[in-house]
Amino acid sequence: QADSNGFIVAYPQGIARSKGNTEWDPGDNGATNINDNDVYFVQQLIADISSKHSINGTQIYATGYSNGGMMSYGLACTLGSQIAAVGIMSGIMLEGTCIETDYTPVIHFHGTNDYALPYDGSGDFQSVEDVISFWVSHNQITDPPVTTTSNNGQVTLDSYSGGAEESSVLLYTIEGGGHVWFDQEIDGQRSNDILWNFLSGYDLNGRL
């Protein structure tokens, strides 16, 4: 559907698989069936929307919460030629192979007390630090981060910039935040606004 600014917003739902619940599988297994390959499904979704609406194909973004964040990271890794930037809310990246020549800007929000996807990682999931380090390296960012705090020190922003194709990586750490914390403003702004301001500042060619 189109929002009040005329942007097309798609809210796809993952398919129910072996776990019995709907879920996203971020990996690209090469299958050309939308029930078996969620990356292929997103490709077909983009093609379908593009055939029905006039959109700017250089400004397509992926965002997600929790497992949806995993899917967004998967798209950044395997569909970076179509996805201009990604936003992750309380999600994590699953280990896998990324296309080396696609440099995708990333903004990630995560609470230090996230019980579902622990900030410091677990036996099943990487730590947030490891994921951010991967994307800093992948995007060929060599400058140290600029670190700022807000909300009386409760929120820390680590901002990495100067990467290939003007890519950047932003990490918002919410001290004491759990898996759900979205009612909290950050320096007077809603997290959704911060997310959109970051994403909309990029297209496939770099920073706008």
Side-chain angles (χ1 to χ4, degrees):
Q1 67 180 45
D3 69 7
S4 59
N5 295 311
F7 296 103
I8 301 297
V9 183
Y11 300 93
Q13 175 67 64
I15 195 171
R17 294 194 172 93
S18 58
K19 295 180 181 178
N21 298 318
T22 56
E23 62 179 287
W24 293 108
D25 185 350
D28 184 359
N29 58 24
T32 54
N33 183 312
I34 62 172
N35 294 318
D36 298 327
N37 185 347
D38 287 339
V39 174
Y40 180 74
F41 164 75
V42 172
Q43 289 178 301
Q44 297 307 301
L45 178 66
I46 292 172
D48 183 65
I49 293 173
S50 299
S51 70
K52 297 175 181 177
H53 302 274
S54 177
I55 69 169
N56 183 345
T58 70
Q59 288 183 268
I60 298 173
Y61 312 105
T63 67
Y65 162 69
S66 193
N67 178 233
M70 297 178 187
M71 187 64 202
S72 295
Y73 267 133
L75 294 175
C77 267
T78 60
L79 206 59
S81 61
Q82 289 185 267
I83 303 297
V86 297
I88 316 300
M89 194 72 71
S90 299
I92 207 69
M93 184 176 119
L94 301 182
E95 295 189 28
T97 302
C98 290
I99 298 174
E100 294 183 0
T101 53
D102 289 337
Y103 311 104
T104 308
V106 172
I107 182 170
H108 186 134
F109 299 81
H110 217 106
T112 58
N113 288 348
D114 191 320
Y115 61 88
L117 297 172
Y119 190 91
D120 293 325
S122 67
D124 297 318
F125 302 109
Q126 299 183 80
S127 69
V128 173
E129 179 182 357
D130 286 345
V131 172
I132 295 301
S133 293
F134 169 84
W135 280 101
V136 168
S137 175
H138 179 84
N139 287 344
Q140 300 183 5
I141 299 173
T142 57
D143 293 339
V146 175
T147 301
T148 57
T149 60
S150 57
N151 294 43
N152 295 318
Q154 188 178 4
V155 178
T156 300
L157 166 61
D158 293 311
S159 178
Y160 303 82
S161 59
E165 298 179 358
E166 302 180 282
S167 59
S168 61
V169 176
L170 269 58
L171 170 63
Y172 281 87
T173 298
I174 295 81
E175 189 66 37
H179 198 53
V180 179
W181 53 268
F182 316 129
D183 57 344
Q184 175 180 327
E185 290 188 343
I186 298 175
D187 202 19
Q189 289 186 290
R190 296 181 303 170
S191 54
N192 283 348
D193 293 329
I194 296 172
L195 179 70
W196 176 243
N197 287 339
F198 175 83
L199 296 177
S200 61
Y202 287 94
D203 66 11
L204 288 175
N205 299 311
R207 191 182 296 273
L208 295 173

